[in-house]
Amino acid sequence: MSTAQHGLAADIETVRTEALDRLETLATAANATEWESNYLGPRGRVTLLLRGLGQLPKEERPIAGRAAQQLRNELTDAFGPVNERLALEVIAARLVADAVDISLPGRKPTIGAAHPISIVTAELVDIFALLGFQAVFGPEVETGRYNFDLLNIPAEHPARDVWDTIHVETQGEEIVLRTHTSPMQARTMERLQPPVRVIVPGRAFRFEAQDASHEWQFTQLEGLAVDRNITMADLKGTLQEVARQLFGPERRIRFRCDFFPFVEPGVDFAVDCAICDGKGCRVCKHTGWLEMGGAGMVHPNVLRGVGYDPDEVSGFAFGLGIDRIAMMKYGVDDVRAFANNDIRFLRDFAEAVG
Ligand SMILES: [Zn+2]
């Protein structure tokens, strides 16, 4: 055995002892990678030993080579289970870190709440259902014929002025965003024969300056009843009952003469203020009355327009401002709060109403 061979044998023994000792101390996957690189990698100690075989006399190479290869196999075999164990520890640690703690309280799901306008609308629909009125819905984009002509509002009437009406189409047939829910009067009567009892909740639009009590978009509830012998007393009784259902059994209503082209006679109607019991307060602007909307007996021209005979049947119609009712019911002092989509207002409201 040559000196070089002795040296190589000693080196093999040194590397074996050192490598196996250090293998015992590996604690992490990073340690394992480092160990593998130090001993078995392309520049590792065992690799260098194998490369050093070329320095030996030719006849000594096979024995030394076997010894070095044996070391390589031995260390590879010893490293395998250690490396596997440390790799599993990494996975286990990650599983622990990523684990869902099922003992934590769950996150409350975000549940939407009905908009105040929707709540009031639903309440009104229920009240009118008890009084025999069916809810119908119509298009928000209307023709001038239904929005104006069939409601006895001729072309020269001020309500058709461009300053009030938002026009969708100015060429050809007049197309507008409906300025009230009243177009459904004619649409309903064209479809049905008396007796007719419908309400029409929905949005309407007017081109006007906005402030705390005016919005260019608002929500109305139209009502229409047509039958034989319908009188003003039926109108008053109906609105009286609605006011009591909405604001309590003590409420009274007031009619005052007003003009709307599609009714004759026409009235505005108010309910006595539930907050001050009619004595006068900030909400009713110290009048004791809260304005609810307009009403009246259906104009004979409107009945004729849909083919009804005003000598045979009569009817009443009314329009309620749903925004106004919601403001009163919930103490909202700015109508714009309903449509400006401020999630804080809606959330507060949802929590308050439940
Ligand atoms: Zn009042």
Side-chain angles (χ1 to χ4, degrees):
M1 193 179 272
S2 72
T3 315
Q5 202 176 4
H6 275 299
L8 188 78
D11 285 350
I12 286 174
E13 207 43 53
T14 306
V15 171
R16 169 183 284 118
T17 310
E18 183 192 304
L20 292 175
D21 282 353
R22 290 180 64 177
L23 192 62
E24 294 292 309
T25 68
L26 299 184
T28 67
N31 294 157
T33 305
E34 191 187 352
W35 185 95
E36 188 179 27
S37 166
N38 281 343
Y39 295 102
L40 301 172
R43 292 167 172 278
R45 302 276 297 277
V46 177
T47 311
L48 294 179
L49 283 177
L50 283 163
R51 280 195 198 143
L53 293 172
Q55 313 290 326
L56 293 176
K58 200 176 176 187
E59 65 277 13
E60 294 176 1
R61 287 179 202 165
I63 299 165
R66 264 198 300 280
Q69 191 57 48
Q70 197 188 342
L71 172 63
R72 185 185 172 83
N73 293 343
E74 191 181 339
L75 293 186
T76 303
D77 289 349
F79 178 67
V82 174
N83 186 45
E84 196 173 321
R85 174 172 56 79
L86 294 173
L88 284 173
E89 281 175 12
V90 169
I91 294 169
R94 190 172 299 153
L95 285 176
V96 168
D98 293 351
V100 176
D101 182 352
I102 57 167
S103 69
L104 279 175
R107 282 195 196 122
K108 204 174 167 188
T110 307
I111 298 172
H115 189 278
I117 297 296
S118 302
I119 295 172
V120 173
T121 302
E123 190 178 350
L124 284 164
V125 167
D126 286 349
I127 291 170
F128 279 105
L130 292 173
L131 296 171
F133 286 78
Q134 181 192 356
V136 296
F137 301 87
E140 292 177 355
V141 179
E142 263 294 1
T143 63
R145 175 175 161 79
Y146 285 103
N147 196 78
F148 297 123
D149 296 340
L150 288 171
L151 288 163
N152 199 33
I153 306 171
E156 68 275 12
H157 192 280
R160 288 182 82 138
D161 192 295
V162 67
W163 300 108
D164 291 324
T165 305
I166 298 170
H167 282 81
V168 175
E169 181 61 68
T170 51
Q171 305 293 315
E173 187 179 8
E174 184 179 25
I175 305 290
V176 302
L177 292 185
R178 65 181 179 188
T179 58
H180 42 198
T181 46
S182 312
M184 279 308 284
Q185 285 191 22
R187 285 188 179 277
T188 302
M189 288 189 284
E190 281 180 342
R191 201 164 48 83
L192 303 174
Q193 286 303 308
V196 170
R197 275 184 186 77
V198 292
I199 54 165
V200 191
R203 270 189 288 270
F205 310 87
R206 295 205 188 154
F207 186 76
E208 65 180 339
Q210 297 188 77
D211 60 31
S213 49
H214 295 88
E215 256 278 31
W216 69 274
Q217 162 191 303
F218 52 99
T219 318
Q220 251 191 354
L221 185 138
E222 184 84 7
L224 174 71
V226 181
D227 201 351
R228 292 177 184 279
N229 305 318
I230 295 257
T231 69
M232 200 84 173
D234 298 310
L235 171 62
K236 191 159 187 178
T238 300
L239 293 177
Q240 172 85 68
E241 184 57 27
V242 171
R244 287 176 177 172
Q245 294 279 347
L246 272 176
F247 299 112
E250 306 303 315
R251 301 279 62 84
R252 293 174 298 142
I253 61 167
R254 179 191 71 185
F255 279 11
R256 289 193 308 192
C257 286
D258 202 346
F259 172 76
F260 304 99
F262 38 100
V263 287
E264 177 59 36
V267 295
D268 74 50
F269 68 98
V271 58
D272 64 333
C273 179
I275 294 164
C276 61
D277 211 20
K279 294 184 185 70
C281 70
R282 191 180 61 85
V283 174
C284 59
K285 297 193 177 79
H286 305 284
T287 63
W289 296 94
L290 295 165
E291 300 280 347
M292 299 285 289
M297 300 305 290
V298 180
H299 196 287
N301 287 349
V302 174
L303 296 174
R304 279 188 205 102
V306 295
Y308 287 5
D309 181 353
D311 294 327
E312 292 288 317
V313 292
S314 55
F316 64 74
F318 56 87
L320 297 173
I322 293 182
D323 310 77
R324 180 77 59 87
I325 294 171
M327 288 170 78
M328 284 183 223
K329 273 186 82 82
Y330 301 121
V332 175
D333 58 9
D334 190 332
V335 69
R336 293 168 294 191
F338 292 132
N340 71 5
N341 204 26
D342 184 338
I343 196 73
R344 293 166 301 180
F345 165 77
L346 297 171
R347 192 185 293 132
D348 288 351
F349 185 87
E351 282 167 9
V353 176

